[in-house]
Amino acid sequence: MLRKIILEMLIYDYILEVGFGRGNGVELILEKVFPGNGQYYGIELSNYMADVTSSEMLDDITRTKAMFSQVGMFNFLPYNTDFFNALFHIDVFYAWNTKNLKENCEEFYRVLKPGCPLFCAMDLRKLHRLAEYRILSKFDYDPMRYVETLEQSGFGCIKLEYERIDKNSNLDSSANDKAREILLIHATKPLKKREILPAKILEALETDIRRTELDESISKSISGQSKEVLNQRKNLMLNLDDETS
């Protein structure tokens, strides 16, 4: 269960999972958010999956801490800007074409708070098997396709880490052939740029005005000198004409 690996990294209050499926790992998520004031939000394209998972996983108590929602698309999320402390998903991006991928990443960027992370976990063995059966192409789940789109959408500090896990989804650094290889992608929404103080803005504006006035003064001076030179040349030509006539 790749969610277990990601959740060990999460220490945040407001968490969004993209594509929650059957809700695997929700219990672990609730253990993290219940002690504090945080909440878990899960979104899914399938209306059926959202209804089934919500009815099976949530009771009157957990409904105050977790919310499963069905959305028509991931590129228009019903959340405020800078709302979540963390966002994660398992694979899932392989189902998006290039246009959807860019729009979805831009929306993920919008709903994350500045300085907060996005996590993606990929089960490489499973994805390779799907490619062998021609259910997916290697291009579909190419991690670099996703990484490049994250960069284009504004994310920074992007890291790729290859890990091995055992059957219980615990990290396994041994060379055990039965261990599964996974890829973890970690990206961060950069902190917002500092706002320029009004005094600095006025100072910069005054400097620009002085430069403009100086440029105009120099331009007029050059223009006046040019006219004077032209008049001198004109008078000289007239004098030469008089002498030769």
Side-chain angles (χ1 to χ4, degrees):
M1 186 169 58
L2 299 186
R3 287 173 179 81
K4 180 179 179 181
I5 303 297
I6 291 181
L7 292 176
E8 290 177 354
M9 305 177 186
L10 297 179
I11 52 174
Y12 308 100
D13 291 330
Y14 286 86
I15 301 170
L16 174 64
E17 180 178 9
V18 178
F20 56 78
R22 293 303 304 268
N24 297 328
V26 171
E27 295 89 349
L28 295 174
I29 297 173
L30 294 178
E31 289 178 5
K32 284 186 170 290
V33 299
F34 252 114
N37 297 319
Q39 283 188 307
Y40 162 84
Y41 293 78
I43 53 175
E44 175 64 51
L45 294 180
S46 169
N47 191 41
Y48 169 78
M49 195 65 71
D51 290 340
V52 171
T53 304
S54 180
S55 61
E56 291 182 355
M57 300 298 300
L58 302 181
D59 54 30
D60 292 340
I61 298 177
T62 54
R63 286 181 189 278
T64 64
K65 286 292 185 177
M67 180 182 298
F68 295 111
S69 302
Q70 186 272 335
V71 294
M73 57 190 72
F74 291 141
N75 60 359
F76 187 76
L77 301 180
Y79 308 114
N80 292 333
T81 300
D82 300 344
F83 183 75
F84 291 103
N85 299 104
L87 181 153
F88 76 94
H89 59 86
I90 308 300
D91 302 330
V92 82
F93 74 83
Y94 58 70
W96 308 331
N97 61 36
T98 302
K99 179 182 178 182
N100 293 143
L101 183 60
K102 181 70 163 58
E103 293 176 347
N104 294 348
C105 288
E106 290 175 347
E107 189 69 350
F108 299 161
Y109 182 92
R110 182 186 68 81
V111 299
L112 268 176
K113 292 180 180 179
C116 290
L118 173 149
F119 294 100
C120 170
M122 303 175 63
D123 186 339
L124 298 180
R125 179 180 294 181
K126 181 191 74 174
L127 294 172
H128 291 332
R129 188 179 301 116
L130 292 174
E132 290 176 358
Y133 287 108
R134 298 184 179 181
I135 298 174
L136 294 176
S137 70
K138 291 185 177 181
F139 172 79
D140 292 332
Y141 64 88
D142 181 2
M144 295 312 300
R145 182 172 78 99
Y146 188 46
V147 167
E148 290 174 0
T149 307
L150 288 173
E151 290 178 339
Q152 294 170 5
S153 302
F155 284 94
C157 300
I158 301 176
K159 301 178 182 178
L160 286 79
E161 298 179 358
Y162 288 90
E163 302 285 357
R164 298 178 70 85
I165 59 174
D166 59 23
K167 62 180 180 180
N168 297 317
S169 297
N170 296 313
L171 293 177
D172 184 0
S173 58
S174 67
N176 185 357
D177 292 337
K178 294 183 179 180
R180 289 189 298 164
E181 185 181 30
I182 64 171
L183 172 62
L184 298 176
I185 301 175
H186 177 198
T188 303
K189 178 177 178 177
L191 294 171
K192 290 183 178 179
K193 296 181 180 179
R194 293 181 179 179
E195 295 183 359
I196 302 176
L197 297 176
K200 294 291 185 181
I201 296 176
L202 291 175
E203 182 179 344
L205 182 59
E206 290 176 357
T207 301
D208 288 341
I209 292 174
R210 292 195 192 99
R211 287 176 178 172
T212 301
E213 292 176 345
L214 179 60
D215 290 342
E216 291 178 352
S217 176
I218 294 174
S219 178
K220 289 180 180 179
S221 176
I222 294 174
S223 177
Q225 292 177 5
S226 298
K227 289 181 179 179
E228 184 178 351
V229 171
L230 288 174
N231 289 332
Q232 290 177 353
R233 289 181 178 178
K234 183 178 180 181
N235 292 333
L236 179 61
M237 292 297 295
L238 290 174
N239 292 334
L240 289 174
D241 290 340
D242 291 339
E243 292 177 359
T244 55
S245 59

